[in-house]
Amino acid sequence: MDFLTWVLVNGPVGAVNFMMNAFFIFCMVNPLHGEKIKQPLKFLLALLVGSTTVYLMSTFGVFFSEGKNDNKISVASFLISVCCLSVSISSSVWLNFFYYTQIVPAQRALFVWIKKNIKPVIFGVIIFENVFGLLDFTVELLNVRLDQLEFNETSTNYQNIIERNLIQHQEDVYIILISIQRFHFYSSFFVMMMSSGATVVYLCRHMQHMAAHGQSLSCPRLSSQVRVTITGIIQGFHFLSLTVWRDYNFVSQHFSDKTIEQYIFTTVINFYLSATAFWLGAGQVVFRQRAADVWTRAAQWCNDLTMQLPQGA
């Protein structure tokens, strides 16, 4: 994929994704009817939407700086995008876990304690997740550093011997960090799918119980819970696809002759984030209600404009 193709594909996708996240920010700052979003939901949504927005801006900064051959800006933008992507992914994972704690009744002592202390638990987990964000940053920084340490294999001067030893140590550290990073990704996927799976089991049993007692299954609360659970499961499979793709990219880069172009890699990430934004908008009532309100206002405005046209003629 060349630069022009990348721009033609990612330009519209990135623009739509950016506008969606800008709309989400507007919804959070100015919710419909002045309703406040409770914590820690507001914190998780702010992290997810904010990190995705910064990621989009930094990603485009990487490639537009290449046209000016400004390597420093390109590297800095790339490292920022890595951190933002890590924050975005972890936020979506723990957003799923949060809804799990709010929907499924607590039965075990540990779960009861988590539900009672959900705010400090989420805040503490996010702080811990930021450590892995720094880990991703370190991994990519080492990767950039290893690419920059080029030397002549046939030369045996003292400086090149030092560089060879430095590269060897950095490669060892890089492999260790990559292994920890991959373990973290698959652990996050387990948390996401466990949360969604347990919620599905509970909702199925709950709906069977309601149907057996002649209760209506069309209540707004149940519909909202089902919607959030379905979007969470779909997001989990998107997350798994991204994880497998990143593993394939790593193996291709380090253990085979194939190399995944950075253009292709960022295209995959952009489509993943676009899917995340779509399902986030579909699952969150604060975004869905505001979108419905905007659509109603726009339809009414178009209707009024249409009615006024014959009078003006």
Side-chain angles (χ1 to χ4, degrees), residues 259-313:
T259 301
I260 305 299
E261 295 181 8
Q262 193 66 22
Y263 291 135
I264 297 177
F265 183 77
T266 53
T267 301
V268 172
I269 299 296
N270 285 336
F271 275 102
Y272 165 80
L273 292 177
S274 297
T276 299
F278 175 80
W279 294 116
L280 184 66
Q284 299 300 318
V285 64
V286 64
F287 302 149
R288 198 171 59 255
Q289 287 180 346
R290 174 60 76 176
D293 178 68
V294 171
W295 178 264
T296 302
R297 290 174 181 267
Q300 183 64 39
W301 180 80
C302 291
N303 186 43
D304 293 342
L305 184 63
T306 303
M307 295 179 62
Q308 292 176 1
L309 284 177
Q311 297 178 1

Short mmCIF file of all heavy atoms in Angstrom, two decimals, residues 259-313:
data_model
loop_
_atom_site.label_atom_id
_atom_site.label_comp_id
_atom_site.label_asym_id
_atom_site.label_seq_id
_atom_site.Cartn_x
_atom_site.Cartn_y
_atom_site.Cartn_z
N THR A 259 7.07 -8.64 5.89
CA THR A 259 6.96 -7.45 6.73
C THR A 259 5.64 -6.76 6.44
O THR A 259 5.34 -6.44 5.30
CB THR A 259 8.13 -6.48 6.47
OG1 THR A 259 9.36 -7.14 6.73
CG2 THR A 259 8.01 -5.26 7.37
N ILE A 260 4.85 -6.56 7.48
CA ILE A 260 3.59 -5.85 7.33
C ILE A 260 3.87 -4.35 7.27
O ILE A 260 4.48 -3.79 8.19
CB ILE A 260 2.63 -6.15 8.49
CG1 ILE A 260 2.43 -7.67 8.63
CG2 ILE A 260 1.30 -5.47 8.28
CD1 ILE A 260 1.82 -8.33 7.44
N GLU A 261 3.44 -3.71 6.20
CA GLU A 261 3.67 -2.28 6.07
C GLU A 261 2.95 -1.51 7.17
O GLU A 261 1.87 -1.90 7.60
CB GLU A 261 3.19 -1.80 4.70
CG GLU A 261 3.96 -2.37 3.52
CD GLU A 261 3.45 -1.83 2.20
OE1 GLU A 261 2.61 -0.90 2.23
OE2 GLU A 261 3.88 -2.32 1.15
N GLN A 262 3.58 -0.42 7.59
CA GLN A 262 2.96 0.41 8.61
C GLN A 262 1.64 0.99 8.13
O GLN A 262 0.71 1.19 8.91
CB GLN A 262 3.93 1.54 9.01
CG GLN A 262 3.53 2.28 10.27
CD GLN A 262 3.61 1.38 11.50
OE1 GLN A 262 4.32 0.38 11.51
NE2 GLN A 262 2.88 1.73 12.54
N TYR A 263 1.55 1.25 6.81
CA TYR A 263 0.29 1.75 6.25
C TYR A 263 -0.83 0.74 6.47
O TYR A 263 -1.95 1.11 6.84
CB TYR A 263 0.46 2.02 4.75
CG TYR A 263 1.34 3.19 4.42
CD1 TYR A 263 2.30 3.10 3.42
CD2 TYR A 263 1.22 4.40 5.11
CE1 TYR A 263 3.11 4.17 3.11
CE2 TYR A 263 2.02 5.48 4.81
CZ TYR A 263 2.97 5.36 3.80
OH TYR A 263 3.76 6.43 3.50
N ILE A 264 -0.55 -0.53 6.22
CA ILE A 264 -1.56 -1.57 6.38
C ILE A 264 -1.92 -1.74 7.85
O ILE A 264 -3.09 -1.88 8.22
CB ILE A 264 -1.06 -2.91 5.79
CG1 ILE A 264 -0.83 -2.76 4.28
CG2 ILE A 264 -2.06 -4.03 6.08
CD1 ILE A 264 -0.27 -4.01 3.64
N PHE A 265 -0.91 -1.71 8.70
CA PHE A 265 -1.14 -1.89 10.13
C PHE A 265 -2.05 -0.80 10.69
O PHE A 265 -3.01 -1.07 11.41
CB PHE A 265 0.20 -1.90 10.88
CG PHE A 265 0.07 -2.15 12.35
CD1 PHE A 265 -0.16 -3.42 12.83
CD2 PHE A 265 0.17 -1.11 13.26
CE1 PHE A 265 -0.30 -3.66 14.19
CE2 PHE A 265 0.04 -1.33 14.61
CZ PHE A 265 -0.19 -2.61 15.08
N THR A 266 -1.77 0.46 10.34
CA THR A 266 -2.59 1.55 10.86
C THR A 266 -3.99 1.53 10.24
O THR A 266 -4.95 1.96 10.88
CB THR A 266 -1.93 2.91 10.57
OG1 THR A 266 -1.63 3.01 9.17
CG2 THR A 266 -0.67 3.08 11.37
N THR A 267 -4.11 1.01 9.02
CA THR A 267 -5.44 0.88 8.41
C THR A 267 -6.30 -0.09 9.21
O THR A 267 -7.48 0.16 9.47
CB THR A 267 -5.32 0.40 6.96
OG1 THR A 267 -4.54 1.35 6.20
CG2 THR A 267 -6.69 0.27 6.32
N VAL A 268 -5.70 -1.22 9.62
CA VAL A 268 -6.42 -2.19 10.44
C VAL A 268 -6.84 -1.56 11.77
O VAL A 268 -7.98 -1.74 12.22
CB VAL A 268 -5.53 -3.43 10.69
CG1 VAL A 268 -6.19 -4.37 11.70
CG2 VAL A 268 -5.26 -4.18 9.39
N ILE A 269 -5.93 -0.81 12.39
CA ILE A 269 -6.25 -0.16 13.66
C ILE A 269 -7.38 0.85 13.49
O ILE A 269 -8.31 0.93 14.32
CB ILE A 269 -5.01 0.54 14.24
CG1 ILE A 269 -3.89 -0.47 14.51
CG2 ILE A 269 -5.36 1.28 15.52
CD1 ILE A 269 -4.23 -1.50 15.56
N ASN A 270 -7.35 1.62 12.41
CA ASN A 270 -8.39 2.63 12.18
C ASN A 270 -9.76 2.00 11.99
O ASN A 270 -10.77 2.51 12.49
CB ASN A 270 -8.04 3.48 10.96
CG ASN A 270 -6.94 4.49 11.25
OD1 ASN A 270 -6.74 4.88 12.41
ND2 ASN A 270 -6.23 4.92 10.23
N PHE A 271 -9.81 0.86 11.29
CA PHE A 271 -11.09 0.17 11.12
C PHE A 271 -11.57 -0.41 12.45
O PHE A 271 -12.77 -0.43 12.74
CB PHE A 271 -10.97 -0.92 10.06
CG PHE A 271 -11.17 -0.42 8.66
CD1 PHE A 271 -10.09 -0.20 7.83
CD2 PHE A 271 -12.44 -0.16 8.17
CE1 PHE A 271 -10.27 0.27 6.54
CE2 PHE A 271 -12.63 0.31 6.88
CZ PHE A 271 -11.54 0.53 6.06
N TYR A 272 -10.63 -0.89 13.25
CA TYR A 272 -10.99 -1.40 14.59
C TYR A 272 -11.59 -0.28 15.44
O TYR A 272 -12.64 -0.48 16.10
CB TYR A 272 -9.77 -2.00 15.28
CG TYR A 272 -9.96 -2.20 16.77
CD1 TYR A 272 -10.66 -3.30 17.24
CD2 TYR A 272 -9.46 -1.29 17.69
CE1 TYR A 272 -10.86 -3.49 18.60
CE2 TYR A 272 -9.65 -1.46 19.04
CZ TYR A 272 -10.36 -2.56 19.50
OH TYR A 272 -10.55 -2.73 20.85
N LEU A 273 -10.95 0.88 15.45
CA LEU A 273 -11.45 1.99 16.25
C LEU A 273 -12.77 2.51 15.72
O LEU A 273 -13.63 2.97 16.49
CB LEU A 273 -10.41 3.11 16.29
CG LEU A 273 -9.11 2.80 17.03
CD1 LEU A 273 -8.13 3.95 16.94
CD2 LEU A 273 -9.39 2.47 18.50
N SER A 274 -12.97 2.45 14.41
CA SER A 274 -14.25 2.86 13.83
C SER A 274 -15.37 1.93 14.28
O SER A 274 -16.47 2.37 14.61
CB SER A 274 -14.16 2.87 12.30
OG SER A 274 -13.21 3.81 11.85
N ALA A 275 -15.08 0.61 14.29
CA ALA A 275 -16.07 -0.36 14.78
C ALA A 275 -16.36 -0.13 16.26
O ALA A 275 -17.52 -0.21 16.70
CB ALA A 275 -15.56 -1.78 14.55
N THR A 276 -15.31 0.19 17.03
CA THR A 276 -15.50 0.48 18.45
C THR A 276 -16.41 1.68 18.65
O THR A 276 -17.31 1.66 19.50
CB THR A 276 -14.14 0.74 19.11
OG1 THR A 276 -13.31 -0.42 19.00
CG2 THR A 276 -14.31 1.07 20.59
N ALA A 277 -16.18 2.74 17.86
CA ALA A 277 -17.00 3.95 17.97
C ALA A 277 -18.45 3.66 17.60
O ALA A 277 -19.39 4.16 18.26
CB ALA A 277 -16.43 5.05 17.07
N PHE A 278 -18.66 2.84 16.57
CA PHE A 278 -20.02 2.51 16.14
C PHE A 278 -20.77 1.77 17.25
O PHE A 278 -21.92 2.13 17.59
CB PHE A 278 -19.98 1.66 14.87
CG PHE A 278 -21.33 1.18 14.42
CD1 PHE A 278 -22.18 2.03 13.72
CD2 PHE A 278 -21.77 -0.10 14.71
CE1 PHE A 278 -23.44 1.59 13.32
CE2 PHE A 278 -23.01 -0.55 14.32
CZ PHE A 278 -23.86 0.31 13.61
N TRP A 279 -20.14 0.73 17.80
CA TRP A 279 -20.81 -0.05 18.83
C TRP A 279 -20.94 0.72 20.14
O TRP A 279 -21.88 0.51 20.92
CB TRP A 279 -20.07 -1.36 19.06
CG TRP A 279 -20.13 -2.26 17.87
CD1 TRP A 279 -19.10 -2.69 17.10
CD2 TRP A 279 -21.31 -2.84 17.29
NE1 TRP A 279 -19.54 -3.48 16.08
CE2 TRP A 279 -20.91 -3.59 16.17
CE3 TRP A 279 -22.67 -2.78 17.61
CZ2 TRP A 279 -21.80 -4.28 15.37
CZ3 TRP A 279 -23.57 -3.48 16.80
CH2 TRP A 279 -23.13 -4.22 15.71
N LEU A 280 -20.01 1.65 20.37
CA LEU A 280 -20.13 2.50 21.55
C LEU A 280 -21.35 3.40 21.43
O LEU A 280 -22.12 3.57 22.37
CB LEU A 280 -18.86 3.35 21.71
CG LEU A 280 -18.79 4.24 22.96
CD1 LEU A 280 -18.72 3.39 24.22
CD2 LEU A 280 -17.56 5.15 22.88
N GLY A 281 -21.54 3.97 20.24
CA GLY A 281 -22.71 4.81 20.02
C GLY A 281 -24.01 4.04 20.09
O GLY A 281 -25.03 4.55 20.58
N ALA A 282 -23.98 2.78 19.63
CA ALA A 282 -25.20 1.96 19.66
C ALA A 282 -25.52 1.49 21.07
O ALA A 282 -26.70 1.30 21.42
CB ALA A 282 -25.03 0.76 18.74
N GLY A 283 -24.50 1.29 21.90
CA GLY A 283 -24.72 0.71 23.22
C GLY A 283 -24.98 1.71 24.33
O GLY A 283 -25.64 1.39 25.32
N GLN A 284 -24.47 2.93 24.19
CA GLN A 284 -24.58 3.91 25.27
C GLN A 284 -25.81 4.79 25.08
O GLN A 284 -25.95 5.46 24.06
CB GLN A 284 -23.32 4.78 25.31
CG GLN A 284 -22.05 4.01 25.56
CD GLN A 284 -22.07 3.27 26.88
OE1 GLN A 284 -22.52 3.82 27.89
NE2 GLN A 284 -21.59 2.05 26.89
N VAL A 285 -26.66 4.79 26.07
CA VAL A 285 -27.92 5.50 25.96
C VAL A 285 -27.70 7.01 25.84
O VAL A 285 -28.46 7.71 25.15
CB VAL A 285 -28.83 5.17 27.17
CG1 VAL A 285 -28.21 5.65 28.47
CG2 VAL A 285 -30.22 5.75 26.98
N VAL A 286 -26.67 7.55 26.48
CA VAL A 286 -26.44 8.99 26.44
C VAL A 286 -26.10 9.45 25.03
O VAL A 286 -26.48 10.56 24.62
CB VAL A 286 -25.30 9.37 27.43
CG1 VAL A 286 -23.96 8.74 27.03
CG2 VAL A 286 -25.16 10.89 27.52
N PHE A 287 -25.42 8.60 24.26
CA PHE A 287 -25.09 8.94 22.87
C PHE A 287 -26.28 8.69 21.96
O PHE A 287 -26.56 9.49 21.06
CB PHE A 287 -23.90 8.11 22.39
CG PHE A 287 -22.66 8.28 23.21
CD1 PHE A 287 -21.75 7.24 23.36
CD2 PHE A 287 -22.39 9.48 23.85
CE1 PHE A 287 -20.61 7.40 24.12
CE2 PHE A 287 -21.25 9.65 24.63
CZ PHE A 287 -20.36 8.61 24.76
N ARG A 288 -27.00 7.61 22.21
CA ARG A 288 -28.11 7.24 21.35
C ARG A 288 -29.27 8.25 21.47
O ARG A 288 -29.89 8.62 20.47
CB ARG A 288 -28.59 5.83 21.72
CG ARG A 288 -29.42 5.15 20.67
CD ARG A 288 -29.66 3.70 21.00
NE ARG A 288 -30.35 3.52 22.27
CZ ARG A 288 -29.75 3.09 23.37
NH1 ARG A 288 -28.45 2.81 23.38
NH2 ARG A 288 -30.43 2.94 24.51
N GLN A 289 -29.53 8.70 22.68
CA GLN A 289 -30.60 9.67 22.87
C GLN A 289 -30.28 11.01 22.22
O GLN A 289 -31.14 11.63 21.60
CB GLN A 289 -30.86 9.87 24.37
CG GLN A 289 -31.55 8.70 25.05
CD GLN A 289 -31.78 8.95 26.52
OE1 GLN A 289 -31.22 9.87 27.12
NE2 GLN A 289 -32.62 8.13 27.14
N ARG A 290 -29.04 11.45 22.36
CA ARG A 290 -28.66 12.71 21.73
C ARG A 290 -28.70 12.60 20.22
O ARG A 290 -29.12 13.54 19.52
CB ARG A 290 -27.27 13.11 22.21
CG ARG A 290 -26.70 14.35 21.52
CD ARG A 290 -27.57 15.56 21.73
NE ARG A 290 -27.42 16.10 23.07
CZ ARG A 290 -28.03 17.21 23.49
NH1 ARG A 290 -28.85 17.86 22.66
NH2 ARG A 290 -27.87 17.64 24.73
N ALA A 291 -28.27 11.45 19.66
CA ALA A 291 -28.31 11.26 18.21
C ALA A 291 -29.75 11.29 17.71
O ALA A 291 -30.05 11.87 16.66
CB ALA A 291 -27.64 9.94 17.84
N ALA A 292 -30.66 10.64 18.47
CA ALA A 292 -32.07 10.66 18.09
C ALA A 292 -32.63 12.08 18.15
O ALA A 292 -33.43 12.48 17.28
CB ALA A 292 -32.87 9.74 19.01
N ASP A 293 -32.22 12.85 19.15
CA ASP A 293 -32.67 14.23 19.27
C ASP A 293 -32.16 15.08 18.10
O ASP A 293 -32.91 15.87 17.53
CB ASP A 293 -32.18 14.82 20.59
CG ASP A 293 -32.57 16.27 20.77
OD1 ASP A 293 -33.77 16.55 20.93
OD2 ASP A 293 -31.66 17.13 20.75
N VAL A 294 -30.89 14.90 17.73
CA VAL A 294 -30.32 15.65 16.60
C VAL A 294 -31.04 15.28 15.31
O VAL A 294 -31.36 16.13 14.47
CB VAL A 294 -28.81 15.37 16.48
CG1 VAL A 294 -28.26 15.96 15.19
CG2 VAL A 294 -28.07 15.96 17.68
N TRP A 295 -31.30 13.97 15.13
CA TRP A 295 -32.00 13.52 13.92
C TRP A 295 -33.42 14.10 13.85
O TRP A 295 -33.86 14.54 12.78
CB TRP A 295 -32.06 12.00 13.91
CG TRP A 295 -32.80 11.44 12.73
CD1 TRP A 295 -34.11 11.06 12.67
CD2 TRP A 295 -32.26 11.21 11.42
NE1 TRP A 295 -34.43 10.60 11.42
CE2 TRP A 295 -33.31 10.68 10.63
CE3 TRP A 295 -31.01 11.40 10.86
CZ2 TRP A 295 -33.12 10.35 9.29
CZ3 TRP A 295 -30.82 11.05 9.52
CH2 TRP A 295 -31.87 10.55 8.75
N THR A 296 -34.11 14.13 14.99
CA THR A 296 -35.47 14.69 15.02
C THR A 296 -35.44 16.18 14.69
O THR A 296 -36.29 16.68 13.92
CB THR A 296 -36.10 14.48 16.40
OG1 THR A 296 -36.13 13.07 16.70
CG2 THR A 296 -37.51 15.03 16.45
N ARG A 297 -34.48 16.89 15.25
CA ARG A 297 -34.37 18.33 14.98
C ARG A 297 -34.05 18.59 13.51
O ARG A 297 -34.59 19.51 12.89
CB ARG A 297 -33.30 18.95 15.87
CG ARG A 297 -33.66 19.03 17.34
CD ARG A 297 -32.49 19.50 18.18
NE ARG A 297 -32.81 19.56 19.58
CZ ARG A 297 -33.27 20.64 20.21
NH1 ARG A 297 -33.47 21.76 19.51
NH2 ARG A 297 -33.53 20.61 21.50
N ALA A 298 -33.13 17.78 12.94
CA ALA A 298 -32.76 17.94 11.54
C ALA A 298 -33.94 17.65 10.62
O ALA A 298 -34.17 18.36 9.64
CB ALA A 298 -31.58 17.03 11.21
N ALA A 299 -34.69 16.58 10.95
CA ALA A 299 -35.87 16.24 10.14
C ALA A 299 -36.92 17.34 10.21
O ALA A 299 -37.55 17.70 9.20
CB ALA A 299 -36.45 14.91 10.61
N GLN A 300 -37.11 17.90 11.40
CA GLN A 300 -38.08 18.97 11.56
C GLN A 300 -37.65 20.21 10.80
O GLN A 300 -38.46 20.90 10.16
CB GLN A 300 -38.23 19.30 13.06
CG GLN A 300 -39.27 20.38 13.36
CD GLN A 300 -40.67 19.96 12.97
OE1 GLN A 300 -41.04 18.80 13.16
NE2 GLN A 300 -41.44 20.88 12.42
N TRP A 301 -36.34 20.50 10.83
CA TRP A 301 -35.81 21.67 10.10
C TRP A 301 -36.00 21.49 8.60
O TRP A 301 -36.41 22.42 7.91
CB TRP A 301 -34.34 21.84 10.45
CG TRP A 301 -33.71 23.01 9.74
CD1 TRP A 301 -33.78 24.33 10.09
CD2 TRP A 301 -32.92 22.95 8.55
NE1 TRP A 301 -33.08 25.11 9.20
CE2 TRP A 301 -32.54 24.29 8.25
CE3 TRP A 301 -32.50 21.92 7.74
CZ2 TRP A 301 -31.75 24.58 7.13
CZ3 TRP A 301 -31.71 22.22 6.63
CH2 TRP A 301 -31.35 23.53 6.34
N CYS A 302 -35.72 20.29 8.10
CA CYS A 302 -35.90 20.02 6.67
C CYS A 302 -37.37 20.11 6.28
O CYS A 302 -37.72 20.61 5.21
CB CYS A 302 -35.35 18.64 6.32
SG CYS A 302 -33.55 18.51 6.43
N ASN A 303 -38.25 19.63 7.16
CA ASN A 303 -39.69 19.69 6.90
C ASN A 303 -40.18 21.13 6.86
O ASN A 303 -40.96 21.52 5.97
CB ASN A 303 -40.44 18.90 7.97
CG ASN A 303 -41.93 18.80 7.66
OD1 ASN A 303 -42.32 18.55 6.53
ND2 ASN A 303 -42.75 18.98 8.70
N ASP A 304 -39.70 21.94 7.81
CA ASP A 304 -40.09 23.36 7.81
C ASP A 304 -39.56 24.08 6.58
O ASP A 304 -40.25 24.93 5.99
CB ASP A 304 -39.55 24.03 9.08
CG ASP A 304 -40.22 23.51 10.34
OD1 ASP A 304 -41.31 22.90 10.23
OD2 ASP A 304 -39.64 23.68 11.42
N LEU A 305 -38.34 23.74 6.18
CA LEU A 305 -37.75 24.37 4.98
C LEU A 305 -38.53 24.00 3.74
O LEU A 305 -38.77 24.84 2.86
CB LEU A 305 -36.29 23.93 4.87
CG LEU A 305 -35.49 24.57 3.72
CD1 LEU A 305 -35.40 26.08 3.90
CD2 LEU A 305 -34.10 23.96 3.63
N THR A 306 -38.96 22.74 3.66
CA THR A 306 -39.73 22.28 2.50
C THR A 306 -41.09 22.99 2.42
O THR A 306 -41.56 23.34 1.34
CB THR A 306 -39.94 20.76 2.58
OG1 THR A 306 -38.68 20.12 2.66
CG2 THR A 306 -40.69 20.25 1.35
N MET A 307 -41.70 23.20 3.57
CA MET A 307 -43.00 23.87 3.60
C MET A 307 -42.89 25.34 3.23
O MET A 307 -43.83 25.94 2.71
CB MET A 307 -43.65 23.72 4.98
CG MET A 307 -44.00 22.28 5.34
SD MET A 307 -44.73 22.15 7.00
CE MET A 307 -46.20 23.13 6.81
N GLN A 308 -41.74 25.95 3.48
CA GLN A 308 -41.56 27.37 3.20
C GLN A 308 -41.18 27.64 1.75
O GLN A 308 -41.36 28.75 1.27
CB GLN A 308 -40.48 27.94 4.11
CG GLN A 308 -40.90 27.99 5.58
CD GLN A 308 -39.78 28.47 6.47
OE1 GLN A 308 -38.69 28.79 6.00
NE2 GLN A 308 -40.02 28.48 7.78
N LEU A 309 -40.69 26.64 1.03
CA LEU A 309 -40.22 26.85 -0.33
C LEU A 309 -41.32 27.33 -1.27
O LEU A 309 -41.12 28.27 -2.02
CB LEU A 309 -39.57 25.56 -0.86
CG LEU A 309 -38.18 25.26 -0.32
CD1 LEU A 309 -37.68 23.93 -0.87
CD2 LEU A 309 -37.20 26.38 -0.70
N PRO A 310 -42.52 26.70 -1.28
CA PRO A 310 -43.57 27.20 -2.19
C PRO A 310 -43.98 28.63 -1.89
O PRO A 310 -44.32 29.40 -2.80
CB PRO A 310 -44.73 26.24 -1.94
CG PRO A 310 -44.06 25.00 -1.41
CD PRO A 310 -42.92 25.50 -0.60
N GLN A 311 -43.97 29.04 -0.63
CA GLN A 311 -44.35 30.40 -0.28
C GLN A 311 -43.35 31.40 -0.85
O GLN A 311 -43.70 32.45 -1.32
CB GLN A 311 -44.42 30.53 1.23
CG GLN A 311 -45.49 29.64 1.85
CD GLN A 311 -45.51 29.76 3.37
OE1 GLN A 311 -44.73 30.52 3.95
NE2 GLN A 311 -46.41 29.01 4.01
N GLY A 312 -42.08 31.01 -0.80
CA GLY A 312 -41.05 31.91 -1.34
C GLY A 312 -41.12 31.99 -2.86
O GLY A 312 -40.74 32.99 -3.47
N ALA A 313 -41.59 30.90 -3.52
CA ALA A 313 -41.67 30.90 -4.97
C ALA A 313 -42.81 31.81 -5.42
O ALA A 313 -42.74 32.42 -6.46
CB ALA A 313 -41.92 29.48 -5.46
#
